[in-house]
Amino acid sequence: MLATLQKLQEDAIDEIGTVDSIDGLEAWRVSFLGSKGRLKGVMPLMKDVSKEEKPVVGKRLNEVKSALESAFDTRKQELAGATSARPPMDVTEPGDDVALGRRHIITKTIDGITEVFSRMGFSVAYGPEVEDEYHNFNALNIPDDHPARDPIDNFFMGGDRMLRSQTSTVQIRVMESTPPPIKIIAVGRVYRPDTHDATHFSMFHQCEGLLVAPKVSMVDLKTTLFQFAKSYFGEKAEVRFRPSFFPFTEPSAEVDMKMKIKGKWQWVEIGGCGLVDPNVFEQVGYDNDKWQGFAFGLGIERVAMLKYGIQDIRWLYENDARFLRQF
Ligand code: DAH
């Protein structure tokens, strides 16, 4: 009996799927739910069901009945909708506007910068955002008592784990796993605790560059950055170095680039650079007598904000469509 009911339900559901008119639906109702229909037809079998099984079979019978009734109602509504008197479709009417997504300004900036450096022969390297103190500091010649390691300026995560505070970590990871020569850039997120305001955010992006070759000088470094600036900001772009200090480069310099802002060419501080410190090569096992290198780190948000005239870094990460749509 249970098997018969199951079969009946399956047949009914299969069949109702093929019904495509109100008349057809009525015929379906008569054949399954009508007074001479198949459901009524199984009733006489009830008398053969044992006393213990009767409640189970009775319950199933009711279930099948309501399943069929609700299938009937649903199909009826569907057919009514499909056949209701609607005005004929005007195929010449303009369609609704489809809102197109677009790349985020930061993604666009990263793609643009990467494209220029790729053309200059740099390949793209990646490193983890969750780092250890060794790669973020020690290997970069930043000693244990250096102020850059202050817990106030870093996201330490317990153990020696931390969110990287600079993409210079990728220099170390690449040199650890690859013999020289090297010519890479590494773009990605970095994290530093900061009170958020128009120019500070606790997450931002950097573009790191590293070149290792038998002979490398500050001239190579400046020429590379100069070529980049001209390609990215335009023919009139310029590069200026100001003496500085970073533990992982010697000598070190602050990099300014002259770029067009609101129609005027202006000097903007954009990152740091220098020749790789021999202590860094020592950490990764490179022979200081055979290899020299330059490195640089550029701030992506800074480039993007100046290029697109964005006054507040927070706007980049609030995901307000009214802002994002402008670019
Ligand atoms: N990592 C530095 C920072 O976050 C930027 C930097 C300076 C990177 C000099 C370099 C470099 O590779 O040579 O402030």
Side-chain angles (χ1 to χ4, degrees):
M1 177 88 176
L2 285 173
T4 311
L5 282 169
Q6 182 64 27
K7 175 84 170 66
L8 192 158
Q9 182 173 3
E10 283 167 12
D11 288 351
I13 300 299
D14 281 352
E15 238 172 74
I16 203 169
T18 65
V19 165
D20 58 3
S21 68
I22 295 289
D23 289 347
L25 186 62
E26 179 55 17
W28 177 90
R29 193 192 64 76
V30 170
S31 108
F32 285 98
L33 291 163
S35 54
K36 296 201 177 84
R38 281 178 58 181
L39 196 62
K40 276 272 150 51
V42 296
M43 288 303 193
L45 302 178
M46 252 330 231
K47 67 177 187 321
D48 302 331
V49 175
S50 71
K51 208 173 148 203
E52 301 76 54
E53 270 189 318
K54 271 215 164 69
V56 181
V57 176
K59 181 161 170 268
R60 185 74 187 110
L61 200 72
N62 285 329
E63 281 170 6
V64 172
K65 184 158 180 266
S66 42
L68 264 51
E69 282 167 355
S70 80
F72 175 82
D73 289 342
T74 311
R75 194 76 189 125
K76 193 170 165 184
Q77 272 172 19
E78 286 168 3
L79 290 170
T83 55
S84 73
R86 281 191 197 164
M89 183 167 40
D90 177 0
V91 293
T92 65
E93 234 181 70
D96 287 340
D97 265 354
V98 178
L100 282 185
R102 61 198 76 207
R103 283 182 305 157
H104 192 272
I105 309 140
I106 292 298
T107 313
K108 270 190 212 170
T109 310
I110 290 173
D111 290 351
I113 292 175
T114 307
E115 208 247 332
V116 174
F117 279 117
S118 301
R119 275 192 273 132
M120 294 165 77
F122 287 80
S123 43
V124 178
Y126 298 91
E129 288 174 29
V130 176
E131 259 298 0
D132 49 50
E133 291 188 42
Y134 175 76
H135 288 90
N136 201 85
F137 298 125
N138 302 68
L140 287 161
N141 198 33
I142 303 175
D144 283 340
D145 57 358
H146 195 277
R149 303 174 78 125
D150 196 321
I152 274 196
D153 296 323
N154 293 282
F155 284 109
F156 290 112
M157 302 170 71
D160 76 340
R161 280 171 180 260
M162 61 180 298
L163 295 179
R164 71 180 176 196
S165 66
Q166 48 184 350
T167 45
S168 305
T169 52
V170 187
Q171 290 185 29
I172 303 299
R173 295 215 167 254
V174 168
M175 289 192 282
E176 276 174 346
S177 61
T178 326
I182 302 254
K183 195 173 182 183
I184 55 109
I185 56 161
V187 187
R189 296 191 175 98
V190 298
Y191 301 84
R192 292 179 199 174
D194 245 326
T195 307
H196 292 181
D197 62 22
T199 53
H200 295 89
F201 207 75
S202 43
M203 182 281 301
F204 53 98
H205 295 73
Q206 289 184 329
C207 172
E208 191 79 15
L210 172 69
L211 179 128
V212 179
K215 263 204 144 349
V216 179
S217 71
M218 285 300 267
V219 176
D220 300 316
L221 174 56
K222 198 165 181 182
T223 309
T224 302
L225 291 173
F226 181 56
Q227 292 301 333
F228 163 77
K230 284 215 301 184
S231 279
Y232 191 73
F233 293 113
E235 268 302 308
K236 290 215 187 97
E238 288 180 53
V239 169
R240 176 169 82 181
F241 281 4
R242 283 176 292 115
S244 185
F245 174 81
F246 297 102
F248 33 92
T249 42
E250 182 59 37
S252 305
E254 220 78 57
V255 185
D256 298 342
M257 289 186 187
K258 201 173 197 177
M259 57 178 88
K260 202 173 183 175
I261 302 167
K262 291 191 190 135
K264 264 179 56 196
W265 287 86
Q266 296 176 35
W267 284 109
V268 174
E269 183 186 328
I270 202 168
C273 68
L275 297 186
V276 179
D277 193 290
N279 288 343
V280 173
F281 275 171
E282 212 159 282
Q283 282 297 322
V284 297
Y286 279 14
D287 186 342
N288 271 300
D289 292 332
K290 289 199 183 131
W291 301 100
Q292 296 179 332
F294 71 57
F296 58 85
L298 311 177
I300 302 277
E301 273 75 1
R302 211 163 156 67
V303 173
M305 288 170 73
L306 291 163
K307 190 168 165 139
Y308 294 98
I310 297 163
Q311 289 126 30
D312 194 319
I313 191 172
R314 291 170 294 192
W315 297 344
L316 291 170
Y317 300 113
E318 279 167 355
N319 274 340
D320 185 331
R322 291 169 303 176
F323 168 75
L324 297 173
R325 241 184 248 131
Q326 298 173 53
F327 304 96

